[in-house]
Each structure stands twice: as structure tokens, then as C-alpha cells.
Amino acid sequence: MRHFLGAFLLGMATITVMPTERVLAGTLTGQPPIVIGHRGASGYRPEHTLAAYQLAIEMGADYIEPDLVATKDGYLVARHENEISGTTNIASLPEFADRFTTKVIDGQNISGWFTEDFTLAELKTLRAIERIPAIRPDNTAFDGLFEIPTLQEVIDLAKTQSAALGRTIGIYPETKHPTYFDSIGLSMEEILVSVLNANGYTDETAPVYIQSFEVSNLKDLNTLTNVSLVQLINGGGRPYDFAVSGDTRTYADLITPLGLAEIATYANGIGANKNLIIPRVGGNLSSPTTLVDDAHAAGLLVHAWTFRDEDVFLPANLQGNPEEEYRLFYQTGLDGVFSDNPDTAFKVRSALVPEPSAMLGLGIMPLFGWLFRRRNKN
């Protein structure tokens, strides 16, 4: 049935969308790749702020991506890490000086201030700052202006903008350090699913992907919700829950045909380090691997991370030309890109795909997500 539906949908896409490059023909569904505002439009605003998410939407993002961590009183908020000295002004606030501490997070000693030691009300008194000011000095003009948003506030923004723009804006939350949060009694999976359910996000037709670098919490989520799940794949190492459980497999093992087949039993796609799709050799972008085709063969979507416009992040042979990097990756047939600069991602996609057709395709993406259901779903 899955193969029949895939062929049917690809055939329908051939009728409704006229691809100009492999960008459509090679995607799992035959539809245009999605643009994911990575932590919002974090190339232009301090990351994980409502202002960054709003700008990403204005720039054409189809999804906005909040990394999620827990507060002391059980709320989920958007921060890149639970240690927040690099993304907020907390170090300058004397009233919280006594909460500076050192913890072991995923096997590493980390010093600073941690979200799980603060109530939501306390975190709301903080203000966001630019995380990498040496690379993005223009963003420092917005330091101190924006609060830490809750997951609910991110959802509210997505829904409000969907209604205002007449197109669906999805959310793409990542559960950060789930094994650690489980260990301190702040399991995030149940809180996340409760919030999603309260907002009507209950199955794979919902404009939601949940992502994680760990495996066990995605398997848990597979029993708690029917929204789409994505296994994140790093360029090296292994999932931290594997390290805790003694599982010796690495991320490289997860992207073998056998590993991808297992992922397909609990997730809808993979979110891969882009170097696994087109590696760099001597700092230069080289030739694509078979990862996109291998994942598609397993029925999995492929979303790649992270695309950034600054030369410091670009391959040596594409300095000053982020557009060409997008074009080469789109041509692999991947299904989406995480971008700090969603305007660039959108511009290049629009040049490859006639925009009215692209919008038609993106509008029915939830339907495709439902039809390409993950295997063995309970």
C-alpha cells in the first residue's frame, strides 16, 4: 500500500507541478522541499525569539523551529540549550547570581545558569541576546529587547500568521537533552504532547514535526502521539541515550539501510547533518552521497541542517555564494532545509520551482505526511 500511494502521489505531483530541476522529481513526495526557519530567522535576530520566528515567516519559511527545554515548574520554553548565559542577559542580573552552578549535561561539565532552576515567571524577566555576536554583530542591536517564548507562544504565533497570510505555518520542535531531563524528573515528552493535543495537533496531518538527536524518546513519542517524528543524525558520535544504555551503535550505523529501516518503524524522516548528504573535501563541497536516495528507499523524508549565509559557514569553493549551496543541495532531492537565512532558502527554491505550484504543493504537505505513515505505528 505504501508503494502504491507513493506512486500515486508522485504521479499526481507530475500533473500539478512542472519541475524545472530534479528538486521535485527527487523528493519523497514529489513536492517542493520545505524551508524551516532554524531557531527563527536567526541570521537576522537573536535566536529563539518571537521576533526571529516572525521574521522567518515573513521571509517565506514554511516551518519555524523551537528547541525546547523545561522550566522548574514544568513549562517548555524555546532555548538552544538549558544553559542560558550565552543567549540571555542572566549573567548581568545580580538577583540570580547565586544560581550559577556546574552540572553534568550529556556527560559534559557545563557551568552557568539552567532553565530547570527557574520558574517560567522568573525566566520571563530575562531578555535574549545574540549567541554569536562576533559573527553576527548586527544582531546585537536587538539585545535586551525580547523575552524567552514558551512553546504555546510559538504555536500561537504560527496559528495567527497562518490565518493572516492564508498559508499554513508549521512548527518543528526539538526536544533537547531528553535523557537528562528525564533524570531530574522533568520528562518533556508528556508535556509536549499535552500542549500539542490542546492545540489540535494530534496526527500526521498536523503541521508539526518533532525532532530529537536521541532515539528512545522518539520511540516513546511514537506511542504517545501520531504527529510526525524526525530522527536527527549528527556527523559523528552516537545518540546520548545509547551511551547511557550501553548501545554501541553510532549515528553512522543509523544511516545504513538496516538502520534506516529501523528508523522507519518509529519516525517519518531523518534530519541529517548536511555534510552527510554532500561532504566537504579539503573544505570544498564535493559530490553527493547516496543518503537521500537510501532514506527515500526506506520511506523516510530527509531534512538537512544547517544552512547559513556567512562565509565562515560556507564551503571554501562557495565563498560569497550561499545560493549555489542551496541549489546543489536542492538538486539531491532532499525534502527540506533548516536555514538561519530563510529568505535565501526561499529565493533559491522559488527560482527552481514556479512559485504558484510550490505553494500548492506545500499546502497539501500534511496530506502527504498522513499517507506516508511510519511503519508499525501503535
Side-chain angles (χ1 to χ4, degrees):
M1 178 61 74
R2 286 170 58 86
H3 294 298
F4 169 78
L5 287 171
F8 169 75
L9 292 171
L10 287 169
M12 186 171 73
T14 301
I15 294 171
T16 58
V17 181
M18 296 299 291
T20 58
E21 304 219 20
R22 192 192 169 202
V23 62
L24 288 189
T27 60
L28 180 63
T29 64
Q31 296 302 302
I34 61 173
V35 173
I36 306 148
H38 183 245
R39 311 175 195 169
S42 53
Y44 309 103
R45 298 289 187 275
E47 65 189 32
H48 292 311
T49 59
L50 292 181
Y53 299 132
Q54 173 69 43
L55 185 58
I57 295 167
E58 293 172 1
M59 289 179 164
D62 307 296
Y63 284 76
I64 50 178
E65 186 231 16
D67 294 337
L68 298 179
V69 293
T71 70
K72 182 177 182 179
D73 47 350
Y75 289 90
L76 296 181
V77 296
R79 288 291 90 188
H80 177 49
E81 292 289 343
N82 56 325
E83 198 291 299
I84 53 175
S85 63
T87 60
T88 73
N89 64 341
I90 193 165
S92 67
L93 301 179
E95 61 267 36
F96 296 130
D98 61 347
R99 299 201 206 174
F100 181 91
T101 189
T102 299
K103 300 188 179 190
V104 179
I105 309 296
D106 291 1
Q108 296 187 3
N109 288 322
I110 306 292
S111 296
W113 291 263
F114 297 83
T115 58
E116 64 269 22
D117 295 332
F118 294 82
T119 65
L120 177 60
E122 289 174 324
L123 289 178
K124 281 294 188 180
T125 68
L126 308 181
R127 292 297 179 265
I129 61 173
E130 172 55 41
R131 184 176 61 88
I132 46 175
I135 296 174
R136 294 172 175 165
D138 290 349
N139 288 7
T140 63
F142 303 97
D143 285 358
L145 298 182
F146 310 124
E147 295 182 356
I148 296 176
T150 64
L151 171 60
Q152 184 60 58
E153 288 172 328
V154 176
I155 292 173
D156 290 344
L157 175 66
K159 288 189 170 187
T160 299
Q161 288 300 300
S162 295
L165 298 174
R167 67 182 181 94
T168 300
I169 308 300
I171 62 167
Y172 206 129
E174 178 187 346
T175 55
K176 302 289 290 190
H177 308 298
T179 293
Y180 167 76
F181 277 106
D182 277 351
S183 74
I184 61 171
L186 283 172
S187 179
M188 291 190 290
E189 292 77 25
E190 295 80 6
I191 304 171
L192 173 56
V193 171
S194 177
V195 173
L196 294 179
N197 287 346
N199 285 276
Y201 297 152
T202 59
D203 59 33
E204 287 168 313
T205 66
V208 177
Y209 292 99
I210 303 174
Q211 55 179 326
S212 179
F213 279 105
E214 296 189 17
V215 173
S216 57
N217 80 308
L218 284 178
K219 289 184 174 181
D220 288 344
L221 283 163
N222 189 37
T223 68
L224 297 173
T225 182
N226 289 319
V227 303
S228 296
L229 306 178
V230 172
Q231 177 66 64
L232 293 175
I233 305 291
N234 212 339
R238 58 176 167 164
Y240 183 67
D241 56 320
F242 281 12
V244 171
S245 68
D247 191 325
T248 60
R249 287 178 298 165
T250 66
Y251 284 113
D253 294 314
L254 296 185
I255 57 174
T256 64
L258 183 62
L260 291 168
E262 180 183 347
I263 290 173
T265 67
Y266 63 85
N268 303 77
I270 61 171
N273 182 317
K274 65 183 181 181
N275 294 331
L276 296 171
I277 297 171
I278 306 182
R280 298 184 186 189
V281 177
N284 295 319
L285 205 62
S286 59
S287 300
T289 67
T290 63
L291 180 55
V292 172
D293 290 339
D294 292 346
H296 286 175
L300 294 167
L301 297 161
V302 180
H303 300 154
W305 52 270
T306 301
F307 291 82
R308 299 177 169 103
D309 281 5
E310 295 94 348
D311 280 348
V312 67
F313 299 116
L314 289 172
N317 56 340
L318 293 178
Q319 294 291 290
N321 192 5
E323 294 84 0
E324 181 65 6
E325 184 183 39
Y326 283 104
R327 190 183 71 81
L328 291 170
F329 273 89
Y330 281 147
Q331 287 184 320
T332 67
L334 54 71
D335 304 283
V337 295
F338 290 87
S339 177
D340 285 10
N341 307 89
D343 53 340
T344 309
F346 179 84
K347 178 178 68 174
V348 177
R349 187 186 70 186
S350 297
L352 296 175
V353 182
E355 197 54 35
S357 298
M359 294 311 298
L360 173 62
L362 291 167
I364 59 175
M365 278 302 294
L367 171 63
F368 288 101
W370 176 74
L371 291 172
F372 283 91
R373 296 183 66 85
R374 53 189 178 268
R375 301 171 188 170
N376 299 339
K377 177 73 180 101
N378 293 329

